[in-house]
Amino acid sequence: MSASAIATTRHDWSLAEVKALFQQPFNDLLFQAQTMHRAHFDPNRVQVSTLLSIKTGACPEDCKYCPQSGHYNTGLEKQKLMEVQKVLEEAARAKAIGSTRFCMGAAWKHPSAKDMPYVLEMVKGVKAMGLETCMTLGKLDQEQTQALAQAGLDYYNHNLDTSPEFYGSIITTRTYSERLQTLAYVRDAGMKICSGGILGMGESLDDRAGLLIQLANLPEHPESVPINMLVKVAGTPLADEEDVDPFDFIRMLAVARILMPKSHVRLSAGREQMNEQMQALAFMAGANSIFYGEKLLTTANPQADKDMQLFARLGIQPEAREEHADEVHQAAIEQALVEQRSSELFYDAASA
């Protein structure tokens, strides 16, 4: 890849171009993605986030992949919005084991007026700890978006999930254009965008390419792009979908890295089903962000000590916040892991 190609950030990708990337020989694709990755990031640093479910279950949306949807019986225990102080306690635990970003997810179609003051206090409190803040609350209006920005929210997660063409097969209670409008409100308010999608829902190669095109052709690329592998949950309509081929998943990460060279590409849901070799390939393909801890909202995730053991074997270190020296940050992680082995794991989570 030429130096000029590496330097160019594009917003005009075509379906034919993106499909051609997917269809390259695997080694050529990984080499191209790794070259792009090294041009913009330290290849041996991975950003570490923790996600907490602050309100679980009974969501009115009908997303066919989601155990939190009120349309399906998955046996999920419903929980009301958490108290602010409990959320801040979980954020402190996340920081203690090395997370630099704390993400809070609520199973809502959109936040209500009565819940917004509590949500804003959560943002302010987590921000005061020196953590980056992220929330996923569903659809936002312009006033809510501005309020979150004023409270200090750094990132807003709002996934597109799949291509516009396949979207209606997965969700009918919210339109694709509504999702894009929320992302536009977030960007206009000055916040960073976290937006990606899910593999394994029965989509085609065109749909996978189409999702990445939607993200890469936004006026500004999302700062964070979570790529999820479907976690099949009994009771959801997608419980019996075929498994994603591991090499196809790695290809998705690699193409995301090439299309959005300056974005953090997050290895997100589904990591519990990946062996260490697959995760290592994911990092080689350009993934440089993970959710860290015991749970991803309502599904399992590799435990923090296992992640650190894998990082050590691969020579990877967590990406530190700028205000902390790397040595201090790493020492804090190691000490927290020692303490954690003799205590109950915190309940944290992640969403796609």
Side-chain angles (χ1 to χ4, degrees):
M1 183 184 296
S2 68
S4 60
I6 291 174
T8 301
T9 300
R10 294 177 51 189
H11 303 268
D12 60 351
W13 290 93
S14 70
L15 180 61
E17 288 177 303
V18 176
K19 286 182 68 176
L21 289 173
F22 273 101
Q23 292 165 349
Q24 288 187 95
F26 187 74
N27 285 342
D28 292 350
L29 177 60
L30 255 63
F31 180 77
Q32 186 175 349
Q34 178 67 194
T35 302
M36 186 70 80
H37 186 53
R38 288 173 178 267
H40 298 285
F41 292 98
D42 182 333
N44 296 309
R45 294 276 179 175
V46 171
Q47 190 276 327
V48 174
S49 298
T50 294
L51 176 62
L52 174 72
S53 181
I54 60 173
K55 186 269 177 186
T56 303
C59 180
E61 302 279 28
D62 67 353
C63 310
K64 291 185 178 179
Y65 54 79
C66 188
Q68 301 211 63
S69 172
H71 294 258
Y72 317 123
N73 181 14
T74 62
L76 181 69
E77 181 181 352
K78 302 175 182 63
Q79 297 176 355
K80 295 180 179 180
L81 184 66
M82 288 180 67
E83 295 176 6
V84 173
Q85 185 56 39
K86 289 183 179 180
V87 171
L88 299 185
E89 289 170 2
E90 298 296 344
R93 294 183 188 181
K95 182 177 181 180
I97 68 160
S99 286
T100 57
R101 186 180 308 159
F102 192 67
C103 308
M104 294 158 274
W108 287 325
K109 183 179 179 69
H110 53 76
S112 67
K114 70 178 179 63
D115 288 322
M116 276 299 292
Y118 302 104
V119 167
L120 298 176
E121 287 304 309
M122 293 174 191
V123 173
K124 293 174 184 177
V126 174
K127 185 80 169 178
M129 296 180 188
L131 287 164
E132 290 181 319
T133 54
C134 178
M135 280 197 157
T136 178
L137 309 171
K139 175 183 174 181
L140 297 177
D141 61 32
Q142 198 164 19
E143 183 179 352
Q144 290 171 328
T145 311
Q146 291 171 347
L148 288 167
Q150 291 168 3
L153 188 65
D154 296 301
Y155 286 81
Y156 193 74
N157 167 260
H158 200 58
N159 289 336
L160 296 181
D161 289 343
T162 188
S163 70
E165 294 77 14
F166 190 61
Y167 180 84
S169 300
I170 303 299
I171 303 160
T172 66
T173 50
R174 186 190 308 169
T175 67
Y176 211 83
S177 61
E178 285 178 308
R179 289 182 182 257
L180 290 172
Q181 181 61 73
T182 292
L183 293 182
Y185 285 151
V186 169
R187 187 61 84 192
D188 290 346
M191 291 183 287
K192 297 175 181 177
I193 288 175
C194 174
S195 187
I198 306 172
L199 271 67
M201 301 188 294
E203 72 284 347
S204 67
L205 176 60
D206 281 13
D207 293 318
R208 293 174 184 177
L211 166 65
L212 295 181
I213 288 169
Q214 288 290 318
L215 296 168
N217 287 354
L218 289 171
E220 293 180 67
H221 292 164
E223 284 79 5
S224 181
V225 181
I227 303 297
N228 301 274
M229 186 163 65
L230 177 67
V231 178
K232 292 176 282 190
V233 178
T236 62
L238 300 181
D240 297 321
E241 284 294 324
E242 292 184 10
D243 291 343
V244 176
D245 180 274
F247 292 116
D248 288 344
F249 187 84
I250 300 299
R251 284 180 183 275
M252 186 74 171
L253 295 170
V255 175
R257 167 53 62 217
I258 293 166
L259 268 57
M260 293 168 280
K262 298 180 182 179
S263 303
H264 279 81
V265 176
R266 177 172 296 146
L267 185 58
S268 198
R271 204 156 58 89
E272 177 75 9
Q273 285 75 49
M274 301 177 194
N275 61 26
E276 291 183 334
Q277 292 77 15
M278 184 177 174
Q279 291 188 62
L281 268 181
F283 296 133
M284 183 176 290
N288 62 339
S289 178
I290 63 168
F291 276 119
Y292 181 60
E294 187 183 8
K295 283 193 176 182
L296 296 182
L297 287 182
T298 58
T299 57
N301 192 46
Q303 293 178 1
D305 54 350
K306 291 183 179 178
D307 286 335
M308 286 299 105
Q309 290 167 12
L310 178 59
F311 276 19
R313 292 172 66 191
L314 297 177
I316 288 174
Q317 291 187 334
E319 186 177 279
R321 295 286 310 270
E322 290 181 1
E323 63 266 29
H324 299 296
D326 292 348
E327 294 81 1
V328 173
H329 185 79
Q330 186 66 23
I333 292 172
E334 292 170 354
Q335 179 59 38
L337 289 174
V338 171
E339 295 172 357
Q340 180 181 293
R341 291 189 185 101
S342 60
S343 65
E344 182 180 355
L345 282 170
F346 61 88
Y347 175 81
D348 67 355
S351 141

